[in-house]
Amino acid sequence: MERSFEPPQRILMGPGPSDVSPRVLAAMARPTIGHLDPAFVELMTEVKSLLQYAFRTKNQLTIPISGPGTAGMEACIANLVEPGDSVLVCVNGVFGGRMATMAERMGGVVHRIESPWGEPIDLAQLEDALKKHPKTKAIAFVHAETSTGARSDARGIASLAHRYGTLTIADTVTSLGGIPLEVDEWSLDAVYSGTQKCLSCTPGLSPVTISERALSAIRARTHPVVSWFLDFGLVMSYWGEGQKRTYHHTAPVNAIYALHEALLVLREEGLEKAWARHQLNHEAFRAGLAAMGLELLVHADHRLPQLNAVRIPADVEDAIVRRAMLYDFGIEIGGGLGDLTGKIWRIGLMGFASNPRNVYRCLSALAACMRSSKHVSTADEGLAAAKAVYVAASRA
Ligand SMILES: *Cc1c(COP(=O)(O)O)cnc(C)c1O
């Protein structure tokens, strides 16, 4: 007989979703009201301005798309890419590959710029491609590649885009709230994110922000956007200012409560403080891993603090450790994707889950689950090394 679902207790330290703050869960459980209720309309206005804060932008079109990160990706690509448009897509992991496929489905002429997984996008290679394809309409790239743990130089890519007169489509699903992201200062054009990574909200919404330049390109389209649901022109008539709001779809009302609360949590902490917290917890975790004999996949210059790609020692069985982490310790970590399957774990320290307690817990659980490995030292060494990082930071 089916009964109410009681989820097991977990600590979410994978590539997302991350642990959701109890404040956000409480907000989500509040009574549903109508999506055209004046109180809800006011809430929508606040969500837009809180998103402008998180994205560091004044873009008017800054809203959550009703759908997961992938919906924001599809919205940005569907609105900017018309049949026959030339698009450069930077691919250094799973999500860049997904953007390329989508742009092709929209009829774009896609040129892939491939970098090895675990490395950032190569700017010299990108510039060569821009010279070779002077009619490029947009460069699509992933700021924080969650499949590998590599950070790309979003500012550098945007500045190349401006020099060559093209637009940028930026995936910031894992970067928003976790590492510096400056939409206006860097002049990014079509930017989408997700709620379940460093914002520590429930999955299912995709914040997007669109520059004036990108809006002009959308207005100049000669073909209608293939997706009715994701057409920014129509979405704006629903999320736009004032009394003129027209029905487009029913916003996921309670999910918007949750996002509002998650953004309040972020603003109360302060963006810069949130970035610094992610960095510090990453440094402590990294020091702990190193003391235990474990290495990271990505070079120090390009590491994401919120997503640690840890190399699995040769004598350790990936699936056994992940299962023990989950069932014995209640800690979810992620496996590798594609060629990295069985070679790395993806350990997230995202949003609400990025805290010292999780760093210590994860280090000791990992050591326990890998006791049989010749390559892994005891938890004591890892915990002491992590502790030393926190102590040094508190004295600084
Ligand atoms: C998680 C993620 C996505 C997809 O988000 P969903 O909410 O799963 O659709 C896209 N890009 C990156 C970089 C991600 O980490």
PDB file of all heavy atoms in Angstrom, residues 147-169:
ATOM      1  N   SER A 147      30.231  19.173 -14.646  1.00  0.00           N
ATOM      2  CA  SER A 147      30.610  17.792 -14.961  1.00  0.00           C
ATOM      3  C   SER A 147      32.102  17.540 -14.713  1.00  0.00           C
ATOM      4  O   SER A 147      32.518  16.394 -14.603  1.00  0.00           O
ATOM      5  CB  SER A 147      30.253  17.448 -16.412  1.00  0.00           C
ATOM      6  OG  SER A 147      30.931  18.283 -17.317  1.00  0.00           O
ATOM      7  N   THR A 148      32.894  18.621 -14.601  1.00  0.00           N
ATOM      8  CA  THR A 148      34.340  18.426 -14.419  1.00  0.00           C
ATOM      9  C   THR A 148      34.931  19.225 -13.262  1.00  0.00           C
ATOM     10  O   THR A 148      36.041  18.947 -12.828  1.00  0.00           O
ATOM     11  CB  THR A 148      35.118  18.871 -15.679  1.00  0.00           C
ATOM     12  OG1 THR A 148      34.987  20.293 -15.811  1.00  0.00           O
ATOM     13  CG2 THR A 148      34.586  18.207 -16.930  1.00  0.00           C
ATOM     14  N   GLY A 149      34.239  20.264 -12.805  1.00  0.00           N
ATOM     15  CA  GLY A 149      34.778  21.110 -11.740  1.00  0.00           C
ATOM     16  C   GLY A 149      35.672  22.226 -12.241  1.00  0.00           C
ATOM     17  O   GLY A 149      36.402  22.834 -11.452  1.00  0.00           O
ATOM     18  N   ALA A 150      35.623  22.527 -13.561  1.00  0.00           N
ATOM     19  CA  ALA A 150      36.486  23.588 -14.102  1.00  0.00           C
ATOM     20  C   ALA A 150      35.728  24.903 -14.268  1.00  0.00           C
ATOM     21  O   ALA A 150      34.571  24.925 -14.685  1.00  0.00           O
ATOM     22  CB  ALA A 150      37.062  23.155 -15.451  1.00  0.00           C
ATOM     23  N   ARG A 151      36.433  25.992 -13.957  1.00  0.00           N
ATOM     24  CA  ARG A 151      35.889  27.341 -14.106  1.00  0.00           C
ATOM     25  C   ARG A 151      36.495  27.969 -15.358  1.00  0.00           C
ATOM     26  O   ARG A 151      37.710  27.935 -15.551  1.00  0.00           O
ATOM     27  CB  ARG A 151      36.293  28.178 -12.886  1.00  0.00           C
ATOM     28  CG  ARG A 151      35.940  29.635 -13.003  1.00  0.00           C
ATOM     29  CD  ARG A 151      36.716  30.583 -12.083  1.00  0.00           C
ATOM     30  NE  ARG A 151      37.053  30.108 -10.760  1.00  0.00           N
ATOM     31  CZ  ARG A 151      36.810  30.792  -9.636  1.00  0.00           C
ATOM     32  NH1 ARG A 151      36.217  31.954  -9.682  1.00  0.00           N
ATOM     33  NH2 ARG A 151      37.198  30.299  -8.480  1.00  0.00           N
ATOM     34  N   SER A 152      35.652  28.551 -16.202  1.00  0.00           N
ATOM     35  CA  SER A 152      36.181  29.249 -17.368  1.00  0.00           C
ATOM     36  C   SER A 152      36.155  30.748 -17.126  1.00  0.00           C
ATOM     37  O   SER A 152      35.449  31.240 -16.249  1.00  0.00           O
ATOM     38  CB  SER A 152      35.407  28.873 -18.630  1.00  0.00           C
ATOM     39  OG  SER A 152      35.826  27.588 -19.060  1.00  0.00           O
ATOM     40  N   ASP A 153      36.943  31.453 -17.933  1.00  0.00           N
ATOM     41  CA  ASP A 153      37.116  32.889 -17.761  1.00  0.00           C
ATOM     42  C   ASP A 153      35.976  33.631 -18.464  1.00  0.00           C
ATOM     43  O   ASP A 153      36.112  34.054 -19.612  1.00  0.00           O
ATOM     44  CB  ASP A 153      38.484  33.277 -18.336  1.00  0.00           C
ATOM     45  CG  ASP A 153      38.745  34.769 -18.282  1.00  0.00           C
ATOM     46  OD1 ASP A 153      37.923  35.512 -17.705  1.00  0.00           O
ATOM     47  OD2 ASP A 153      39.786  35.190 -18.829  1.00  0.00           O
ATOM     48  N   ALA A 154      34.871  33.790 -17.758  1.00  0.00           N
ATOM     49  CA  ALA A 154      33.674  34.391 -18.369  1.00  0.00           C
ATOM     50  C   ALA A 154      33.941  35.835 -18.798  1.00  0.00           C
ATOM     51  O   ALA A 154      33.491  36.275 -19.848  1.00  0.00           O
ATOM     52  CB  ALA A 154      32.513  34.338 -17.381  1.00  0.00           C
ATOM     53  N   ARG A 155      34.717  36.556 -18.004  1.00  0.00           N
ATOM     54  CA  ARG A 155      35.019  37.944 -18.344  1.00  0.00           C
ATOM     55  C   ARG A 155      35.849  37.999 -19.642  1.00  0.00           C
ATOM     56  O   ARG A 155      35.577  38.800 -20.524  1.00  0.00           O
ATOM     57  CB  ARG A 155      35.806  38.595 -17.192  1.00  0.00           C
ATOM     58  CG  ARG A 155      36.168  40.028 -17.452  1.00  0.00           C
ATOM     59  CD  ARG A 155      37.418  40.424 -16.691  1.00  0.00           C
ATOM     60  NE  ARG A 155      37.222  40.400 -15.246  1.00  0.00           N
ATOM     61  CZ  ARG A 155      36.985  41.493 -14.519  1.00  0.00           C
ATOM     62  NH1 ARG A 155      36.921  42.667 -15.084  1.00  0.00           N
ATOM     63  NH2 ARG A 155      36.827  41.399 -13.229  1.00  0.00           N
ATOM     64  N   GLY A 156      36.832  37.115 -19.726  1.00  0.00           N
ATOM     65  CA  GLY A 156      37.683  37.075 -20.921  1.00  0.00           C
ATOM     66  C   GLY A 156      36.888  36.697 -22.167  1.00  0.00           C
ATOM     67  O   GLY A 156      37.080  37.278 -23.245  1.00  0.00           O
ATOM     68  N   ILE A 157      35.977  35.748 -22.029  1.00  0.00           N
ATOM     69  CA  ILE A 157      35.161  35.326 -23.171  1.00  0.00           C
ATOM     70  C   ILE A 157      34.259  36.478 -23.605  1.00  0.00           C
ATOM     71  O   ILE A 157      34.121  36.778 -24.797  1.00  0.00           O
ATOM     72  CB  ILE A 157      34.339  34.067 -22.807  1.00  0.00           C
ATOM     73  CG1 ILE A 157      35.281  32.877 -22.591  1.00  0.00           C
ATOM     74  CG2 ILE A 157      33.308  33.757 -23.896  1.00  0.00           C
ATOM     75  CD1 ILE A 157      34.638  31.669 -21.938  1.00  0.00           C
ATOM     76  N   ALA A 158      33.661  37.164 -22.621  1.00  0.00           N
ATOM     77  CA  ALA A 158      32.766  38.281 -22.957  1.00  0.00           C
ATOM     78  C   ALA A 158      33.549  39.391 -23.641  1.00  0.00           C
ATOM     79  O   ALA A 158      33.055  40.024 -24.590  1.00  0.00           O
ATOM     80  CB  ALA A 158      32.080  38.793 -21.696  1.00  0.00           C
ATOM     81  N   SER A 159      34.778  39.634 -23.213  1.00  0.00           N
ATOM     82  CA  SER A 159      35.508  40.744 -23.820  1.00  0.00           C
ATOM     83  C   SER A 159      35.922  40.396 -25.256  1.00  0.00           C
ATOM     84  O   SER A 159      35.872  41.245 -26.143  1.00  0.00           O
ATOM     85  CB  SER A 159      36.649  41.221 -22.912  1.00  0.00           C
ATOM     86  OG  SER A 159      37.855  40.679 -23.320  1.00  0.00           O
ATOM     87  N   LEU A 160      36.244  39.120 -25.500  1.00  0.00           N
ATOM     88  CA  LEU A 160      36.487  38.687 -26.890  1.00  0.00           C
ATOM     89  C   LEU A 160      35.217  38.859 -27.732  1.00  0.00           C
ATOM     90  O   LEU A 160      35.267  39.326 -28.870  1.00  0.00           O
ATOM     91  CB  LEU A 160      36.857  37.203 -26.914  1.00  0.00           C
ATOM     92  CG  LEU A 160      38.318  36.796 -26.915  1.00  0.00           C
ATOM     93  CD1 LEU A 160      38.422  35.279 -27.003  1.00  0.00           C
ATOM     94  CD2 LEU A 160      39.060  37.454 -28.071  1.00  0.00           C
ATOM     95  N   ALA A 161      34.097  38.479 -27.151  1.00  0.00           N
ATOM     96  CA  ALA A 161      32.820  38.579 -27.874  1.00  0.00           C
ATOM     97  C   ALA A 161      32.578  40.023 -28.308  1.00  0.00           C
ATOM     98  O   ALA A 161      32.179  40.280 -29.442  1.00  0.00           O
ATOM     99  CB  ALA A 161      31.676  38.082 -26.996  1.00  0.00           C
ATOM    100  N   HIS A 162      32.856  40.965 -27.413  1.00  0.00           N
ATOM    101  CA  HIS A 162      32.615  42.370 -27.768  1.00  0.00           C
ATOM    102  C   HIS A 162      33.563  42.824 -28.861  1.00  0.00           C
ATOM    103  O   HIS A 162      33.164  43.545 -29.768  1.00  0.00           O
ATOM    104  CB  HIS A 162      32.715  43.254 -26.543  1.00  0.00           C
ATOM    105  CG  HIS A 162      31.622  42.931 -25.575  1.00  0.00           C
ATOM    106  ND1 HIS A 162      30.304  43.000 -25.942  1.00  0.00           N
ATOM    107  CD2 HIS A 162      31.639  42.469 -24.306  1.00  0.00           C
ATOM    108  CE1 HIS A 162      29.553  42.595 -24.922  1.00  0.00           C
ATOM    109  NE2 HIS A 162      30.345  42.264 -23.921  1.00  0.00           N
ATOM    110  N   ARG A 163      34.808  42.385 -28.765  1.00  0.00           N
ATOM    111  CA  ARG A 163      35.776  42.793 -29.769  1.00  0.00           C
ATOM    112  C   ARG A 163      35.352  42.310 -31.158  1.00  0.00           C
ATOM    113  O   ARG A 163      35.597  42.965 -32.154  1.00  0.00           O
ATOM    114  CB  ARG A 163      37.162  42.248 -29.408  1.00  0.00           C
ATOM    115  CG  ARG A 163      38.231  43.219 -29.800  1.00  0.00           C
ATOM    116  CD  ARG A 163      39.628  42.927 -29.241  1.00  0.00           C
ATOM    117  NE  ARG A 163      39.688  42.336 -27.927  1.00  0.00           N
ATOM    118  CZ  ARG A 163      40.480  41.291 -27.645  1.00  0.00           C
ATOM    119  NH1 ARG A 163      41.226  40.729 -28.576  1.00  0.00           N
ATOM    120  NH2 ARG A 163      40.519  40.815 -26.425  1.00  0.00           N
ATOM    121  N   TYR A 164      34.714  41.153 -31.213  1.00  0.00           N
ATOM    122  CA  TYR A 164      34.319  40.596 -32.514  1.00  0.00           C
ATOM    123  C   TYR A 164      32.828  40.816 -32.809  1.00  0.00           C
ATOM    124  O   TYR A 164      32.282  40.233 -33.749  1.00  0.00           O
ATOM    125  CB  TYR A 164      34.686  39.108 -32.582  1.00  0.00           C
ATOM    126  CG  TYR A 164      36.184  38.916 -32.742  1.00  0.00           C
ATOM    127  CD1 TYR A 164      37.031  38.930 -31.635  1.00  0.00           C
ATOM    128  CD2 TYR A 164      36.759  38.790 -34.010  1.00  0.00           C
ATOM    129  CE1 TYR A 164      38.403  38.806 -31.770  1.00  0.00           C
ATOM    130  CE2 TYR A 164      38.135  38.658 -34.160  1.00  0.00           C
ATOM    131  CZ  TYR A 164      38.951  38.670 -33.042  1.00  0.00           C
ATOM    132  OH  TYR A 164      40.312  38.541 -33.185  1.00  0.00           O
ATOM    133  N   GLY A 165      32.184  41.624 -31.992  1.00  0.00           N
ATOM    134  CA  GLY A 165      30.790  41.985 -32.281  1.00  0.00           C
ATOM    135  C   GLY A 165      29.796  40.841 -32.201  1.00  0.00           C
ATOM    136  O   GLY A 165      28.829  40.792 -32.961  1.00  0.00           O
ATOM    137  N   THR A 166      30.026  39.905 -31.266  1.00  0.00           N
ATOM    138  CA  THR A 166      29.037  38.832 -31.117  1.00  0.00           C
ATOM    139  C   THR A 166      28.437  38.872 -29.712  1.00  0.00           C
ATOM    140  O   THR A 166      28.975  39.502 -28.811  1.00  0.00           O
ATOM    141  CB  THR A 166      29.658  37.427 -31.341  1.00  0.00           C
ATOM    142  OG1 THR A 166      30.231  36.991 -30.117  1.00  0.00           O
ATOM    143  CG2 THR A 166      30.728  37.452 -32.397  1.00  0.00           C
ATOM    144  N   LEU A 167      27.333  38.173 -29.564  1.00  0.00           N
ATOM    145  CA  LEU A 167      26.665  38.090 -28.267  1.00  0.00           C
ATOM    146  C   LEU A 167      27.211  36.899 -27.472  1.00  0.00           C
ATOM    147  O   LEU A 167      27.859  36.017 -28.040  1.00  0.00           O
ATOM    148  CB  LEU A 167      25.163  37.898 -28.476  1.00  0.00           C
ATOM    149  CG  LEU A 167      24.443  39.036 -29.210  1.00  0.00           C
ATOM    150  CD1 LEU A 167      23.071  38.564 -29.690  1.00  0.00           C
ATOM    151  CD2 LEU A 167      24.302  40.249 -28.291  1.00  0.00           C
ATOM    152  N   THR A 168      26.916  36.891 -26.171  1.00  0.00           N
ATOM    153  CA  THR A 168      27.300  35.726 -25.357  1.00  0.00           C
ATOM    154  C   THR A 168      26.055  35.076 -24.752  1.00  0.00           C
ATOM    155  O   THR A 168      25.119  35.766 -24.346  1.00  0.00           O
ATOM    156  CB  THR A 168      28.217  36.132 -24.185  1.00  0.00           C
ATOM    157  OG1 THR A 168      27.680  37.300 -23.574  1.00  0.00           O
ATOM    158  CG2 THR A 168      29.636  36.391 -24.652  1.00  0.00           C
ATOM    159  N   ILE A 169      26.079  33.758 -24.704  1.00  0.00           N
ATOM    160  CA  ILE A 169      25.063  32.987 -23.982  1.00  0.00           C
ATOM    161  C   ILE A 169      25.834  32.236 -22.898  1.00  0.00           C
ATOM    162  O   ILE A 169      26.700  31.419 -23.208  1.00  0.00           O
ATOM    163  CB  ILE A 169      24.347  31.976 -24.905  1.00  0.00           C
ATOM    164  CG1 ILE A 169      23.681  32.705 -26.084  1.00  0.00           C
ATOM    165  CG2 ILE A 169      23.336  31.159 -24.112  1.00  0.00           C
ATOM    166  CD1 ILE A 169      23.074  31.762 -27.138  1.00  0.00           C
TER     167      ILE A 169
END
